[in-house]
């Protein structure tokens, strides 16, 4: 989809999609879910949630289910895109989850959903974690490695791992 000028809505949504792809963050919602903590996601983050030092971008916020998200990403493209937004203060993106979803659909033209970018991030993270682990020699080692991979991916995505489910999918 062509961007609608330098400050167009598609550019804002595309910038949020870049953040989601690079971090695995949820898209975020302005909707009041009636929870104790206001959960943040890519489209609801503010400059206060981000620190940039060169190519390193650090995030600190509360996500879904009150999970504390503290993640640092070394990525020049992400730092360059976020730097002026952080400098301006306030909300990082002038978009919302519906606009982000519509922009993604316009870009790929399928039923691919924003949350599918988290699956791509999870799979990539799992592959890196697997590559860093020694090959298991026994069934017990295999199960332990699967849990290790699940923990790495769960931490990246900002949620608890359900009995190594993520690692199981990656290793099976």
């Amino acid at each position: 989809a062509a961007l609608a000028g330098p400050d167009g809505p598609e550019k804002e949504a595309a910038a949020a999609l870049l953040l989601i792809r690079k971090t695995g963050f949820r898209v975020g919602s302005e909707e009041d879910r009636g929870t104790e903590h206001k959960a943040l996601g890519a489209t609801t983050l503010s400059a206060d949630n981000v620190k940039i030092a060169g190519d390193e971008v650090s995030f600190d916020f509360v996500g879904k289910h009150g999970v504390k998200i503290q993640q640092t990403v070394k990525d020049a493209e992400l730092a360059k895109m976020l730097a002026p937004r952080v400098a301006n203060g306030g909300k990082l993106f002038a978009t919302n989850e519906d606009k982000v979803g519509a922009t993604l659909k316009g870009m790929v033209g399928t039923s691919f959903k924003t949350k599918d970018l988290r699956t791509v991030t999870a799979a990539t993270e799992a592959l890196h974690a697997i590559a860093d682990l020694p090959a298991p020699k026994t069934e017990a080692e295999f199960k332990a490695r699967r849990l290790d991979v699940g923990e790495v991916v769960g931490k990246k995505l900002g949620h608890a791992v359900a009995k190594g489910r993520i690692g199981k999918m990656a290793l099976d």
Side-chain angles (χ1 to χ4, degrees), residues 25-112:
F25 294 159
R26 288 179 172 86
V27 67
S29 174
E30 297 292 341
E31 186 177 315
D32 182 2
R33 308 244 189 242
T35 58
E36 184 179 335
H37 301 284
K38 167 72 172 143
L40 298 178
T43 63
T44 54
L45 289 174
S46 72
D48 294 338
N49 304 117
V50 184
K51 302 281 185 267
I52 300 173
D55 290 348
E56 286 194 354
V57 184
S58 298
F59 301 90
D60 187 355
F61 62 96
V62 176
K64 190 173 180 180
H65 302 300
V67 174
K68 181 82 167 161
I69 308 288
Q70 292 179 309
Q71 185 181 133
T72 298
V73 177
K74 185 172 175 127
D75 188 285
E77 179 184 25
L78 191 60
K80 182 180 178 181
M81 182 270 291
L82 288 174
R85 295 166 185 275
V86 170
N88 287 337
K91 194 174 165 187
L92 291 179
F93 304 107
T95 193
N96 61 41
E97 66 182 316
D98 293 335
K99 291 175 185 172
V100 168
T103 297
L104 181 62
K105 186 173 183 175
M107 293 168 109
V108 296
T110 67
S111 61
F112 196 82

